[in-house]
Amino acid sequence: MAFRNVVKGTLFLGGGAVATVFGLSHLTDKRKASITSVEAAEAIKSFAQNELPSREAQLLTLQKTKEFDVLVIGGGATGCGCALDAVSRGLKTAIVERDDFSSGTSSRSTKLIHGGVRYLQKAIMNLDIEQYKLVKEALYERANLLEIAPHLSAPLPIMLPVYKWWQLPYYWIGIKAYDLVAGSQCLRSSYILSKSKALELFPMLQKDKLVGAIVYYDGQHNDARMNLAIALTAARYGAATANYTEVVRLLRRTDPESGKERVCGARCRDVLTGQEFDVRAKCVINATGPFTDSVRKMDNQEVKNICQPSAGVHIVMPGYYSPDNMGLLDPATSDGRVIFFLPWEKMTIAGTTDTPTEVTHHPIPTEEDINFILTEVRNYLSSDVEVRRGDVLAAWSGIRPLVTNPNSKDTQSISRNHVVDVGESGLVTIAGGKWTTYRSMAEDTLDAAIIAHNLKADPCRTVGLFLEGGRDWSPTLYIRLVQDYGLESEVAQHLAATYGDQAFEVAKLAKVTGKRWPIVGKRLVSEFPYIEAEVKYALREYACTAVDVISRRTRLAFLNVQAAEEALPRIVDIMAKELNWKEQKKKEELETAKKFLYYEMGYKSRSEQLTDRSEINLSPSDVDRYTKRFHKFDKDKKGFITILDVQRVLENIHVQMDANNLHEILNEVDLNKNGQVELNEFLQLMSAIQKGFVSSSRLAILMKSAEENMDQREPIPVHRSGGGV
């Protein structure tokens, strides 16, 4: 009854505020997805190429073309969006990226396509019309992105738990206003839940003092694959598209009319071969995210920095931490930040932090940030759920390029929106903004570029323009993959959700397994649906390194660093065969990829939870219990166990295990790396497991299981059997 009364009061109290927002929504100018925009997208469909040019062909085009209309520097979401916008307007377009597409911030997001609930709250509280327009624009772009890449994105319900009665009307008004601002682009209407219903949908939730919950909808996507889809779409429409192509310096010419120097292209270097060449263009666009200022200083050393980088850390935990299709929003953490807790790729992602940082190509997640996120997660989950540090399967840091507007009188204030700046030399810079609004950012950038450089171009055509794989995708496409190729259902669903209507091209590359089922599709690692054929297909998508494959063509590195490391040798072997790598090159690729996992994907922090300096905090009874377990393997009382000791025990209980696997299992616990596991190391492991620093230790589980089997097989003493006859 109390819950019903609060809901009724909420409806009454919220009416005025919601009506105000509704009126504001109609008074504010908004972009409309007109039929003509969709028709324009259809009109350029015929220009798309059936086959993607190889990277070598793209580099040749960059070198041979006398002059492009537009050269975009930067292969993140915004840069690729600019390239697609330009080429779809009929402009001769080139785009270069120093690393891989989406190798920076664009692959390290919260994976949400959203308007920003907290931005709307600020807009209403501060009567900030600019903040309101930002939310309005983002909600429009959210709807468009869900439409043009349906295989890579989907609506996601997000729960906002309420622990104080007064917060229920407060949050409900805000969420309903969010729905109303979205207007016809509202994904689904938000709703209120009672305490019991909230716990039914999110059983892991902290139930003490829970009043109820509010559920609203935003979009979720596979960010790196979405970025890649934009790049590949631009390439199909004719943009000269090259990753691992670094801008060494900007080219200049003197304008005969004004006598001023103008940027007219860039000196580029193929990072993989070292070859340098010039790419000339009427207009150069700087879309380099956190590296915005480094390119601006290539143009003019005197310009002041406008980028204020902020690091956002995310962690990935097992899928059992959250329901399959319900996210969680913590609107007020202990330090005022917002934390999302979301299901993603059958795992759970939590983040983000917001910490000032230096610009770097290789941001590293800190243990402090990881523990901050874990602490906040513990506050919202039931005490029945033990939130363990050892359950962090991957962690990463992304650098958010916050900017100040160089044209603003107050150059110290952070711009909430994106900034388009045309320098005296004609260099066009696009900076700031957010993932969701990449398309409108690109449109604004090209509009400015066309005016500044007097380019002859068609109107923007990217509204409603399907991205790679989206045009002929359907929710049932995976069934055809199962039926036509004999793929596992889970693998087929993954391929359909990753490649869309291009999934059939991947399936054609899949090798026969030799099993009754599945007929084709060998997995790279057993617990994930990634298959070997995807490595071959990744090369068609401009993958050049093993890191490209484990982090951006597949998302294995972002889901589980240990699984990614396990898959690496096979990935490198497949790439070596396709690219004719020699043994030295294979070794270098393995080392580089392992270094990437160790530093940038959280493997270092994970491995530091168990070291030869780890303390043993066990009770005397636990020490005795684990010592006895250890000695069942160390029959000779040597004080250590080797692979031979483990093999002997496994043979006694009729279990077979590959020697290489056993070596890997022992190596995880061999802290001093002397080829054996001492009693002290085993006790350090069991202590770390008890404290939650380590989870899913293969050696600990194997030894416990073997001990239980041995105990069951021990003969019953005569005095306990009744003495016989």
Side-chain angles (χ1 to χ4, degrees), residues 276-350:
E276 291 193 7
F277 53 89
D278 289 342
V279 179
R280 298 197 173 272
K282 295 172 185 173
C283 171
V284 176
I285 295 175
N286 170 19
T288 52
F291 301 95
T292 293
D293 288 321
S294 62
V295 176
R296 292 175 73 241
K297 287 183 183 295
M298 282 185 188
D299 177 36
N300 180 2
Q301 282 287 337
E302 303 303 317
V303 296
K304 293 182 179 179
N305 289 350
I306 62 171
C307 185
Q308 299 191 17
S310 174
V313 171
H314 294 82
I315 63 174
V316 167
M317 306 176 78
Y320 55 71
Y321 273 96
S322 65
D324 292 337
N325 193 36
M326 179 67 74
L328 187 73
L329 167 63
D330 177 357
T333 62
S334 56
D335 67 352
R337 291 182 279 196
V338 171
I339 289 286
F340 284 99
F341 193 62
L342 311 166
W344 183 67
E345 298 288 317
K346 298 187 177 179
M347 294 293 179
T348 301
I349 182 173

Side-chain angles (χ1 to χ4, degrees), residues 69-71 73 250-253 255 258 260-265 281-286 295-296 299-300 420-430 445-446 448-455:
D69 292 319
V70 173
L71 168 63
I73 306 172
L250 298 177
L251 303 178
R252 296 173 177 277
R253 64 173 175 81
D255 188 330
S258 65
K260 293 182 178 179
E261 283 198 335
R262 305 282 288 177
V263 171
C264 62
K282 295 172 185 173
C283 171
V284 176
I285 295 175
N286 170 19
V295 176
R296 292 175 73 241
D299 177 36
N300 180 2
V420 178
D421 176 58
V422 181
E424 290 185 7
S425 67
L427 176 69
V428 179
T429 295
I430 170 66
T445 305
L446 265 296
I450 289 166
I451 294 170
H453 294 273
N454 196 26
L455 301 175

Side-chain angles (χ1 to χ4, degrees), residues 80 117 332 391 459 489 582 629 650 663:
C80 291
V117 173
D391 282 337
S489 181
K582 298 191 182 301
R629 182 178 300 173
L650 293 180
H663 176 75

Side-chain angles (χ1 to χ4, degrees), residues 222-465:
N222 185 334
D223 54 2
R225 290 295 315 183
M226 186 73 81
N227 192 157
L228 184 63
I230 302 167
L232 296 177
T233 307
R236 283 201 189 275
Y237 282 115
T241 308
N243 55 352
Y244 292 99
T245 305
E246 180 182 15
V247 170
V248 179
R249 67 177 184 274
L250 298 177
L251 303 178
R252 296 173 177 277
R253 64 173 175 81
T254 302
D255 188 330
E257 295 182 6
S258 65
K260 293 182 178 179
E261 283 198 335
R262 305 282 288 177
V263 171
C264 62
R267 179 72 173 177
C268 296
R269 183 174 70 89
D270 182 346
V271 175
L272 303 181
T273 65
Q275 179 190 8
E276 291 193 7
F277 53 89
D278 289 342
V279 179
R280 298 197 173 272
K282 295 172 185 173
C283 171
V284 176
I285 295 175
N286 170 19
T288 52
F291 301 95
T292 293
D293 288 321
S294 62
V295 176
R296 292 175 73 241
K297 287 183 183 295
M298 282 185 188
D299 177 36
N300 180 2
Q301 282 287 337
E302 303 303 317
V303 296
K304 293 182 179 179
N305 289 350
I306 62 171
C307 185
Q308 299 191 17
S310 174
V313 171
H314 294 82
I315 63 174
V316 167
M317 306 176 78
Y320 55 71
Y321 273 96
S322 65
D324 292 337
N325 193 36
M326 179 67 74
L328 187 73
L329 167 63
D330 177 357
T333 62
S334 56
D335 67 352
R337 291 182 279 196
V338 171
I339 289 286
F340 284 99
F341 193 62
L342 311 166
W344 183 67
E345 298 288 317
K346 298 187 177 179
M347 294 293 179
T348 301
I349 182 173
T352 179
T353 59
D354 187 6
T355 311
T357 186
E358 296 295 321
V359 176
T360 172
H361 294 291
H362 308 289
I364 298 171
T366 66
E367 187 64 22
E368 181 183 359
D369 282 330
I370 292 171
N371 284 323
F372 166 78
I373 296 171
L374 287 173
T375 300
E376 296 302 325
V377 169
R378 288 187 187 101
N379 291 339
Y380 269 83
L381 294 190
S382 168
S383 56
D384 297 337
V385 180
E386 183 184 358
V387 180
R388 305 179 297 183
R389 174 61 181 82
D391 282 337
V392 177
L393 305 175
W396 67 85
S397 176
I399 300 178
R400 187 182 175 202
L402 303 174
V403 294
T404 55
N405 189 341
N407 301 315
S408 171
K409 292 181 180 179
D410 182 9
T411 56
Q412 297 302 310
S413 62
I414 296 292
S415 174
R416 303 184 189 99
N417 209 330
H418 58 270
V419 172
V420 178
D421 176 58
V422 181
E424 290 185 7
S425 67
L427 176 69
V428 179
T429 295
I430 170 66
K434 52 196 292 188
W435 221 123
T436 307
T437 57
Y438 84 89
R439 193 212 61 82
S440 62
M441 292 166 64
E443 181 181 348
D444 291 347
T445 305
L446 265 296
D447 286 345
I450 289 166
I451 294 170
H453 294 273
N454 196 26
L455 301 175
K456 293 181 179 179
D458 296 330
C460 179
R461 290 173 163 176
T462 51
V463 172
L465 179 63

Side-chain angles (χ1 to χ4, degrees), residues 610-612 614 616 671 680-688:
L610 178 63
T611 69
D612 55 3
S614 296
I616 299 173
L671 305 179
N680 195 61
E681 290 173 324
F682 180 65
L683 294 177
Q684 285 175 310
L685 167 67
M686 300 314 295
S687 178

Side-chain angles (χ1 to χ4, degrees), residues 646-657 662 702 706:
V646 178
Q647 281 179 326
R648 186 184 67 244
V649 172
L650 293 180
E651 286 172 5
N652 288 338
I653 60 174
H654 307 296
V655 174
Q656 291 185 337
M657 188 170 289
L662 276 178
L702 185 151

